Amino acid sequence: MTNQLDPALRAAIGRIARVPQLLVATDYDGVLAPIVEDPNKAVPLPEAVAAIRALAALPQTTVAVVSGRALRDLATLSRLPSEVHLVGSHGSEFDVGFVESLDESLVELHGRLLAELRAITRNKFGVRLEAKPASIAVHTRSAPRDVAFSVIEAIRSGPATWPDVTVTQGKEVIELAVITNKNKGTAVDALRTQQSASAVLFMGDDVTDENAFKVLHGPDVGIKVGPGETAAQYRVAEPIEAVRALALLLETRRHWLFGERAVPIERHSMLSDGHTVALVTPDARVTWLCQPWPDSSAIFADLLGGAPAGHFSVSPAGNGPGAQAGGERPGRLPLGQRYRPGTMTVETRWSGLTVTDWLEPPADPTTDRSTLVRVLTGTARARLEFAPRPEFGQVSIRLQPLGDGVLVLGANEPIALLAPGVEWDIVSDGSQETARAEVDLAALGGSLTLELRFGTDSIEPSALPVGQRQAAAEQPWQDWSAKLRLPRLARDQVLRSALTLRGLCHAPTGGILAAATSSLPEELGGVRNWDYRYCWLRDGAMTARALVDVGSLDEAEAFLRWVDTVVERTGGHPEWLHPLYTLNGEELGPEAVIDTLPGYAGSRPVRVGNAANRQLQLDVFGPVADLLAAVTDARGSVREEEWRVIEAMVQAVERRWHEPDHGIWEDRLPPRHHVYSKVMCWLTVDRALYVSGKHGRGEPPEWVQLRDRIGANVLEYGWHDGVGAYTVAYGESEMDAASLWVGLSGLLPDDDPRFLATVLRVEAELRSGPVVYRYHWDDGLPGREGGFHLCTAWLIEAYLRTGRRGDAEELFEQMRKTAGPTGLLPEQYDPLAERGLGNHPQAYSHLGLIRAALLLDAA
């Protein structure tokens, strides 16, 4: 069992298992195969072969066997798969053409050397010669001691002194080679370079393996098998223990590469206080929390990197029948998880234990000092594990128990965990520390409050009882919920969607998150993993519009102030607006990859930032103008900053509508004349005219002309005669669900045959059961994605507009059923695997559900 290994070695293996590119190299005899009297019978342990095979099959993992044996003999004896690199003759033989590459003079020297060694060892009982392409090994393991000694001395005083001969002394073997500067160390370095390895784990038992141990550095790990002086950092006693180390490496790396739990995305619940957000799994594990803002770096990134990336877990301790010796009963699932009505507070329940989680906003709204509050109630024993990992786990921290709490040392800002009466056990893996504890709730009076405080190192008790604090945190959410105008249809789910959208709104700035997370995959194991923790003009406007539709104006007004500020920074050039910004309205830095995180369920890369920031997306002005029309209708007036925004949107469209762009889906292809982008340019001017006309400023003739010119252009050039529908872009035949907006925008009447044909074509090509895909054309990226919830909502609306209410109701019910148990929706859904995909929760998905429900309720 791997837990028999030394704890320090286990920790070292745990660290090296998580490097991006790993090289695993071992000797053969004495590591994979036990030492035997007859070297020709040195068979590898079956467990060793299984571990080596499995490691070699992992992505980003290279396995090599570096042996003193001749390459041909090593290949014959080991019978390892071709995925395992075999290196023979102490690093001299890397391929079958090695002999042919030797100079003629070296071949002649090899022949003379072989003849001399045959003469020395003739009639020497138990001595065996092993001729290799560039060397000859003399084995003395089976010879009497006096015979072995005389042979070695004769070699040392004879051919070992010849020019151009290199001598390597091992255990009961001496090897003479005709090439220089080749040993196991140079072999490991060569493999490291060839494979671009981030780190190397090397195992060896022989004196010749010391050359490899001596070249290890940095995060590398060397493991000596058996006794003797060594440069390796760690030691195991025998080959079977080496196999255990390989098994642990395999288990840890497999988990790191493919995800340790991979809780379905849609089953995560979101906490929010308007300042930051967090995700909680169905078993009360906080796996995602960025601080101080949602687009800051993560302190808990278990969601993307497993336990080493940080988490905060609470679970019932094992007890009663079935409990294991370690005290934990595996697989004990909660009874359920739910939101408290009208709030962003989450309750997770087991028999005898309830965990209530919420984010408490800062007492001073000008600061970023949110607090994660976790209240444990019941009579059971509970296990706690606190593993903060600031900067996505890139910063090493220490945990210092102090009084009734724990201080996090080494982070960029103060962090303190208040936990009255808890005795913590601080454990280290060599670079990070984790706090663990087990508490008896009955002995604590049935309740324990944990407070994770950001921006302070105070562990002083709070002045107010926790019940009052919970009520104070929940009351604003409940008051807000009570004022909403909700449909009769799917009322509870619409309310949860509205609360989720409000939870994605950032109170300090007015910006709105597109989603709470980064890099959750659109395809499991794929590369379509993007960072959505920013404010897109389009997504933010559509989110705010959905909240206006259910009766809340505050979020829209705050967002429009945010837009006004961003427009002002363009210096009179709104056409230069980027599609997205940070929450404080600043430009994003370059898109980067955190290659030390394996990604959700092994989906790499994990990205920070978004390169779409630099794209031209001409559709973004339309949703802003549409939001302004809705806000002014709801309020009955237009504010000065809103006039500035609407004029800026029209100005931007006037200057650039005729250009090709990258479109709503941000494909990383050359710009095209996207139908949706042109329709949104039309909608921008149309909504601006509506606002201007309704609020006393008339309809500027130049705006009317601009709207009509854009409309005529897209209706003529966006239609594809061969397809019989409006397609993705001018002159292209592929379908795009966004083309439904040729009718949803009002550009075409509901009964126009061209709109009806486009709806039918989208349905035929892009709908699959409960989902509608965005498109199926080649977007320049490998892999595929799931159905897009927002597109499903668009088709529901299109069904209603074209008189297909029954189809709209059916698809809406199917869409509702894809939500997680607490009502949340990620970006996409895989109808075959029946699981969510993409970042979570996604504003698009929830605003789409709200709009579809409202339209169905009103129809």
Side-chain angles (χ1 to χ4, degrees), residues 535-777:
C535 185
W536 272 255
L537 290 170
R538 174 200 312 112
D539 303 45
M542 293 168 70
T543 297
R545 169 63 197 268
L547 294 178
V548 171
D549 289 344
V550 294
S552 183
L553 277 176
D554 291 347
E555 297 77 22
E557 291 173 344
F559 177 73
L560 288 172
R561 289 193 294 271
W562 182 91
V563 173
D564 183 42
T565 301
V566 173
V567 169
E568 186 179 6
R569 290 173 181 165
T570 67
H573 292 277
E575 72 277 13
W576 293 348
L577 283 169
H578 296 293
L580 67 150
Y581 293 85
T582 64
L583 286 172
N584 63 3
E586 302 289 343
E587 290 191 26
L588 274 67
E591 184 177 277
V593 169
I594 304 177
D595 60 8
T596 55
L597 294 179
Y600 174 87
S603 305
R604 289 176 297 281
V606 170
R607 292 184 171 93
V608 174
N610 198 305
N613 169 56
R614 293 294 177 181
Q615 289 187 347
L616 174 62
Q617 298 175 20
L618 295 174
D619 68 286
V620 300
F621 314 113
V624 176
D626 190 57
L627 171 64
L628 274 160
V631 168
T632 56
D633 272 355
R635 194 200 304 122
S637 62
V638 186
R639 295 174 177 170
E640 188 60 36
E641 68 268 18
E642 294 168 355
W643 279 120
R644 289 198 300 267
V645 170
I646 197 74
E647 290 172 345
M649 296 301 101
V650 174
Q651 187 180 73
V653 166
E654 183 180 19
R655 293 174 179 176
R656 303 199 74 169
W657 75 268
H658 56 280
E659 296 182 32
D661 76 336
H662 292 93
I664 181 176
W665 307 134
E666 303 176 342
D667 57 77
R668 302 189 177 194
L669 298 174
R672 299 184 284 180
H673 290 284
H674 288 92
V675 168
Y676 176 78
S677 297
K678 296 293 192 283
V679 169
M680 286 295 106
C681 287
W682 174 89
L683 183 141
T684 302
V685 189
D686 181 76
R687 299 303 190 263
L689 284 165
Y690 172 82
V691 172
S692 182
K694 189 169 183 178
H695 295 282
R697 298 204 178 187
E699 296 187 349
E702 63 274 18
W703 286 13
V704 174
Q705 294 171 10
L706 177 62
R707 178 192 61 185
D708 294 346
R709 186 162 66 252
I710 296 172
N713 181 276
V714 67
L715 290 178
E716 178 181 357
Y717 295 107
W719 178 263
H720 194 288
D721 284 328
V723 176
Y726 286 96
T727 57
V728 57
Y730 290 6
E732 302 197 19
S733 61
E734 296 91 349
M735 289 305 300
D736 186 332
S739 296
L740 290 170
W741 273 85
V742 74
L744 302 186
S745 64
L747 176 58
L748 285 181
D750 292 345
D751 60 354
D752 190 289
R754 292 169 294 179
F755 179 45
L756 294 170
T758 301
V759 173
L760 288 172
R761 195 73 181 187
V762 168
E763 177 187 59
E765 291 197 15
L766 299 179
R767 181 177 172 186
S768 178
V771 300
V772 176
Y773 291 90
R774 296 187 291 181
Y775 53 80
H776 288 318
W777 36 267

